[in-house]
Amino acid sequence: MFPFTESPIACPVARRMNMFAALPLLLLAPAALLAQQPAAPDDAHVAARVDSLLGQMTIEEKIGQITQIGPSPIGPDNLKPEDLIREGRAGSVLWTIDSAQIKKMQEIAVNESRLKIPLLFGFDVIHGYKNVFPVPIGMASSWDPAMVEHAQAIAAEEASVSGVNWSFGPMVDIARDPRWGRIVEGAGEDPYLGAAMARAQVLGFQGPQLGTPHHVVASVKHFAGYGAAEGGRDYDASYIPEELFRNVYLRPFQAAIDAGVGTVMSAYMDLNDVPASGNVWLLRDVLRHDMGFRGFVISDAWAVASLKVHGFARDPEDAAWRGLTAGVNMDMGSETYLHNVAKLVESGRLPMTVLDEMVREVLAVKVRMGLFEHPYGDLASKDKVLNDPEHRTATRVAAQRSMVLLRNEGGALPLKKAVRSVAVIGPIADSADITGSWTAETNSAVSVLEGLRKKLPNARIEFVRGGDMQRLYPLPWDADEGKKATPLMSAEEMNREVAKAVQAAKRAEIVVLVLGERANMSGEAASRVSLALPGNQQRLLEAVVATGKPVVLVLLNGRPLDISWAAEHVPAILEAWYPGSEGGTAIADVLFGEVNPGGKLPVTWPRVTGQVPIYYNHNLTHAPEDEPGFTSRYADFVTAPLYPFGFGLSYTTFAFSNLQLDQKSISPTGTLHISVDVENRGGVAGDEVVQLYIHQRAGSASRPVRELKGFQRVALAPGEKKTVRFSLGNDELKFWSPQTRAWVVETEEFDAWVGGDSKATLHSEFKVTAATE
Ligand code: BGC
């Protein structure tokens, strides 16, 4: 949402679009970190410092600390941000990555404002800053939390030296409906994988504690239930029963809180009829009381003002009252607190104690971050950090590890480097704009065409676009960049392009067909009614395959698409998501076998749009679909997805054996240890993601058919066998029961499966028994 009069981002190359991973060996050694780590201020110190400041503040200064403004003049009075900062009437600035502007504003806050309270500079550092990592759904496909943590540590370092000290990430909304455009920004459909990715990202952004040098404070978002928007339409209402909310949607948020996240961003939408940004139950009872969050809450952009638009608040004053009493500490951009809180206090409607509580939590984060001692970015090292070749390498590794091989009939991949001619076909095959939703300093990447040309310097590579695609409803910033003005190819031109593509395919030994979505087709405000390949891509696909030439399909997209036809007719399909700065290079690395793909789907892949919402961890009905008679299935189509959650192939094959449980029965507080052997049975090295699923057979509530409760990505040399170990304890076995309205571990029988996806067949069972049994 961009109600600023001018582009919210000062830097022309920066856009509100496009997210994250890397080498375990590049991981910052905890010991090294701890060495540079200042001691965390203790609670008493923080409270004393905050109280002392609060005691000196005027009401305007208090309101300032809970007001976040943009970098451009605001409101009908054209108030200059610099003036507001000088007067202590702004506590934070968002949407600038202009280091000089950030420095200047911070100097004003620290030197010229009465209380010298430094500003927080917030920005959507979602999957990289200058060096762009794959979008979050891609990073989640790596099933490699260590890599994801490293990626976010790099993003945090680049942002922090530039002066940005607050990331509006990670986005951890569970998404079970790929029509929802923001599925690209999260870790998919599963609470366990989502929690692992949430934890990794918070640690990457913040380091082991707030105030770790060269890190930023994170903001886990969007609290909560945003991914369940009705019909997959962005911003639409979510209706989520409490058991689903706590068992699924809140789990990644809890992981982020347990990892010490400093801030939480409240969501836009109505949650069970009460907007999330004015929802007392959600923000006070659940977030603070039940989940133990101790930082501060920032609204989503304009969400406080929007409480009126929702038909919830009567007017802006009421909206401010509702936001504050619900516990939204800071108002992002809407000026609703700025203009209304004084009136509310003066009239006695808002007790000063509530305002003080809101301010106290903001100041406490600033103190804990060490912002008073280190208000500035490390501009002297900015160039070096942003141009660090290791950062660029990390984006390439992340992209390689994020790719998912969906099909590989007859060993179509890897391709041989001896190939002499390749037709590269597809509307975005030559596009550098493949970094996806949300980028900061740059959104330009190595295209697939460029990656292939570099990989095959001596081959004849012919590129044909083959057609075109476009959003029907453009985004405002596309218009700024003149994209609206670029007309879509006419039907006739597209026909000519398809014919050209067919000719190019016929001339080549192999075809690399690059299909998917333009970067602006997924992300915020990018929901789609259909998962079909946009534009004329399906026709292009069928025409190129009809040439009989060997075709490799590379997908660049932010959500699962309807590729059912391709899944039957194209021998090799590689899901690359939006792969980040080194995308084209990493794709070529994988296509030519220099890297063996090992990613797995973090979402269930539907066959057609009508199957959504679709997810693996559903409950059974009284009439399971595989039984005869009236069953829970479609009368006109299969219910099974195209690819199951957790699925992904490799250039080698793996075998699982020797599933061992150290006990057959444990007490509700006990821990069960599980081990399994995984062996690389093929001729090349590769990674397998070993996945553990469980099912509770009976209890106070129906439980999902399967639930992921452990995973590990393991690298195996040809012929190598490793033993992988998991443990199941309270965290894995508990669920929130709608009958007892509490977290329970029930004394019941359980199944356990281990394998390479959610259809794993290696099975065992165990029981949870009362300690006295
Ligand atoms: C998005 C948030 C984002 C904020 C600031 C909103 O429209 O929903 O995810 O952090 O803008 O850019």
Side-chain angles (χ1 to χ4, degrees):
M1 191 186 271
F2 280 109
F4 283 145
T5 42
E6 56 185 69
S7 169
I9 301 169
C11 169
V13 289
R15 289 186 319 170
R16 260 181 52 112
M17 295 182 58
N18 290 349
M19 184 168 170
F20 16 152
L23 284 172
L25 67 154
L26 289 179
L27 275 173
L28 291 174
L33 262 182
L34 291 174
Q36 16 162 318
Q37 182 73 44
D42 61 35
D43 290 355
H45 168 88
V46 175
R49 187 147 184 198
V50 167
D51 283 342
S52 146
L53 276 170
L54 203 56
Q56 302 169 56
M57 289 169 96
T58 62
I59 184 162
E60 283 74 25
E61 285 163 337
K62 290 180 183 176
I63 298 168
Q65 285 308 304
I66 57 172
T67 294
Q68 183 180 57
I69 57 170
S72 322
I74 61 171
D77 305 332
N78 246 359
L79 299 172
K80 284 212 188 91
E82 291 78 5
D83 292 340
L84 286 169
I85 296 167
R86 195 171 289 111
E87 291 158 15
R89 295 174 66 206
S92 173
V93 177
L94 84 158
W95 289 335
T96 174
I97 54 168
D98 174 345
S99 294
Q101 185 182 42
I102 292 177
K103 180 159 178 273
K104 190 172 146 222
M105 287 180 167
Q106 194 68 298
E107 280 168 352
I108 296 175
V110 168
N111 301 321
E112 299 177 33
S113 78
R114 195 176 71 92
L115 294 175
K116 310 191 180 330
I117 303 175
L119 297 163
L120 282 164
F121 290 91
F123 198 82
D124 292 274
V125 183
I126 305 298
H127 55 120
Y129 192 77
K130 172 157 191 243
N131 291 286
V132 187
F133 293 88
V135 284
I137 197 170
M139 293 293 282
S141 304
S142 71
W143 293 58
D144 185 351
M147 182 188 80
V148 172
E149 180 178 339
H150 180 56
Q152 296 300 34
I154 289 177
E157 184 183 18
E158 293 185 2
S160 136
V161 294
S162 310
V164 171
N165 46 27
W166 185 9
S167 162
F168 297 143
M171 192 285 219
V172 305
D173 294 312
I174 297 285
R176 295 169 152 191
D177 185 340
R179 291 173 299 179
W180 188 54
R182 303 196 79 169
I183 192 172
V184 63
E185 295 177 52
E189 73 185 40
D190 183 69
Y192 188 89
L193 179 64
M197 291 299 157
R199 186 180 309 112
Q201 294 187 70
V202 170
L203 293 174
F205 282 129
Q206 298 191 162
Q209 66 184 48
L210 282 187
T212 305
H214 285 200
H215 285 70
V216 298
V217 59
S219 190
V220 67
K221 69 189 187 185
H222 305 84
F223 200 76
Y226 186 29
E230 280 191 324
R233 286 179 303 273
D234 207 0
Y235 313 131
D236 238 337
S238 295
Y239 289 93
I240 314 178
E242 193 170 352
E243 52 277 18
L244 186 63
F245 195 54
R246 293 192 188 261
N247 286 319
V248 175
Y249 286 88
L250 290 184
R251 287 276 182 116
F253 285 97
Q254 185 69 63
I257 292 169
D258 295 346
V261 73
T263 71
V264 165
M265 188 184 294
S266 65
Y268 282 132
M269 80 300 143
D270 273 346
L271 173 69
N272 304 333
D273 284 347
V274 182
S277 293
N279 193 318
V280 178
W281 172 78
L282 179 67
L283 297 176
R284 289 199 179 267
D285 302 356
V286 175
L287 178 65
R288 295 202 180 260
H289 179 269
D290 300 352
M291 299 177 80
F293 175 61
R294 293 182 59 217
F296 77 82
V297 176
I298 170 89
S299 75
D300 201 337
W302 273 256
V304 177
S306 301
L307 294 175
K308 174 168 176 337
V309 186
H310 277 272
F312 178 66
R314 282 189 296 271
D315 50 37
E317 196 173 314
D318 193 33
W321 181 82
R322 289 182 190 246
L324 284 171
T325 48
V328 174
N329 300 75
M330 191 182 277
D331 169 6
M332 185 190 284
S334 85
E335 302 159 44
T336 310
Y337 288 177
L338 183 68
H339 299 307
N340 295 284
V341 174
K343 282 183 274 178
L344 283 169
V345 176
E346 278 154 24
S347 70
R349 190 169 175 217
L350 185 82
M352 185 65 96
T353 47
V354 175
L355 176 58
D356 284 353
E357 177 200 1
M358 293 296 109
V359 177
R360 193 175 271 119
E361 285 159 348
V362 171
L363 290 175
V365 167
K366 292 187 175 182
V367 172
R368 283 185 201 282
M369 286 170 70
L371 199 58
F372 289 83
E373 292 73 28
H374 304 285
Y376 300 107
D378 180 3
L379 283 183
S381 46
K382 179 174 171 183
D383 267 0
K384 188 166 163 271
V385 169
L386 268 56
N387 296 308
D388 185 337
E390 282 192 5
H391 291 190
R392 188 79 180 191
T393 306
T395 68
R396 179 170 173 179
V397 174
Q400 294 164 347
R401 294 177 78 78
S402 298
M403 285 179 209
V404 187
L405 183 63
L406 295 175
R407 193 161 196 249
N408 196 17
E409 286 304 297
L413 286 175
L415 300 171
K416 299 204 174 36
K417 276 177 101 178
V419 61
R420 282 161 306 157
S421 59
V422 185
V424 180
I425 298 172
I428 49 175
D430 66 332
S431 174
D433 190 1
I434 54 166
T435 46
S437 175
W438 297 116
T439 52
E441 279 253 344
T442 172
N443 67 327
S444 176
V446 177
S447 71
V448 181
L449 180 63
E450 203 182 331
L452 288 169
R453 286 210 160 121
K454 278 201 210 129
K455 191 65 76 189
L456 300 173
N458 303 318
R460 191 178 63 80
I461 297 192
E462 190 178 355
F463 166 63
V464 181
R465 192 152 286 133
D468 207 357
M469 58 176 155
Q470 200 180 49
R471 279 178 68 112
L472 199 50
Y473 301 99
L475 291 163
W477 50 92
D478 288 345
D480 291 347
E481 292 175 11
K483 284 206 182 144
K484 209 160 122 193
T486 322
L488 192 67
M489 278 181 196
S490 66
E492 217 170 281
E493 277 171 306
M494 288 207 227
N495 288 342
R496 275 201 299 273
E497 279 292 312
V498 173
K500 269 164 64 184
V502 165
Q503 292 313 317
K506 285 184 176 158
R507 281 190 290 270
E509 277 173 54
I510 54 166
V511 180
V512 177
L513 186 58
V514 184
L515 302 180
E517 304 176 292
R518 284 198 191 282
N520 67 0
M521 289 176 160
S522 62
E524 188 174 348
S527 296
R528 291 187 56 206
V529 75
S530 158
L531 302 177
L533 288 163
N536 67 331
Q537 294 183 103
Q538 183 68 31
R539 194 152 52 85
L540 175 67
L541 165 74
E542 294 181 21
V544 168
V545 170
T547 62
K549 286 291 166 130
V551 177
V552 172
L553 173 60
V554 175
L555 294 170
L556 299 175
N557 50 321
R559 53 159 68 83
L561 294 171
D562 179 347
I563 53 160
S564 298
W565 190 90
E568 274 182 37
H569 298 92
V570 182
I573 308 179
L574 180 70
E575 173 54 80
W577 308 109
Y578 298 114
S581 301
E582 284 289 333
T585 323
I587 288 169
D589 294 339
V590 170
L591 292 182
F592 287 91
E594 285 165 28
V595 170
N596 188 353
K600 301 276 186 170
L601 292 175
V603 287
T604 303
W605 195 295
R607 290 171 193 273
V608 293
T609 315
Q611 286 185 318
V612 306
I614 188 167
Y615 47 94
Y616 82 98
N617 48 357
H618 56 83
N619 290 357
L620 270 181
T621 69
H622 78 284
E625 64 166 305
D626 45 7
E627 292 193 357
F630 286 35
T631 63
S632 67
R633 55 156 302 153
Y634 299 105
D636 57 352
F637 204 74
V638 293
T639 39
L642 187 60
Y643 303 114
F645 173 82
F647 173 79
L649 301 170
S650 164
Y651 296 153
T652 184
T653 52
F654 301 96
F656 294 89
S657 61
N658 197 22
L659 176 58
Q660 302 278 349
L661 279 57
D662 70 341
Q663 304 158 71
K664 279 286 174 193
S665 142
I666 57 165
S667 77
T669 53
T671 301
L672 179 73
H673 296 101
I674 297 184
S675 67
V676 67
D677 293 345
V678 53
E679 183 181 356
N680 181 348
R681 289 263 175 92
V684 291
D687 286 7
E688 176 61 305
V689 180
V690 184
Q691 302 166 39
L692 166 69
Y693 294 87
I694 66 165
H695 166 62
Q696 181 176 328
R697 290 181 186 162
S700 65
S702 303
R703 301 302 300 140
V705 287
R706 285 188 184 205
E707 293 178 279
L708 180 73
K709 291 296 174 182
F711 66 86
Q712 248 180 71
R713 182 166 172 156
V714 234
L716 292 164
E720 191 182 6
K721 189 193 262 191
K722 278 185 185 162
T723 303
V724 173
R725 293 172 210 285
F726 298 106
S727 54
L728 290 174
N730 183 276
D731 253 12
E732 291 77 23
L733 299 174
K734 74 176 184 197
F735 73 98
W736 195 86
S737 168
Q739 298 246 49
T740 61
R741 303 187 58 74
W743 290 96
V744 291
V745 173
E746 296 186 330
T747 51
E748 295 291 347
E749 291 178 350
F750 290 77
D751 296 292
W753 296 265
V754 176
D757 61 42
S758 56
K759 292 276 167 211
T761 50
L762 193 59
H763 175 259
S764 189
E765 54 195 13
F766 62 94
K767 267 189 201 164
V768 176
T769 49
T772 50
E773 266 179 42

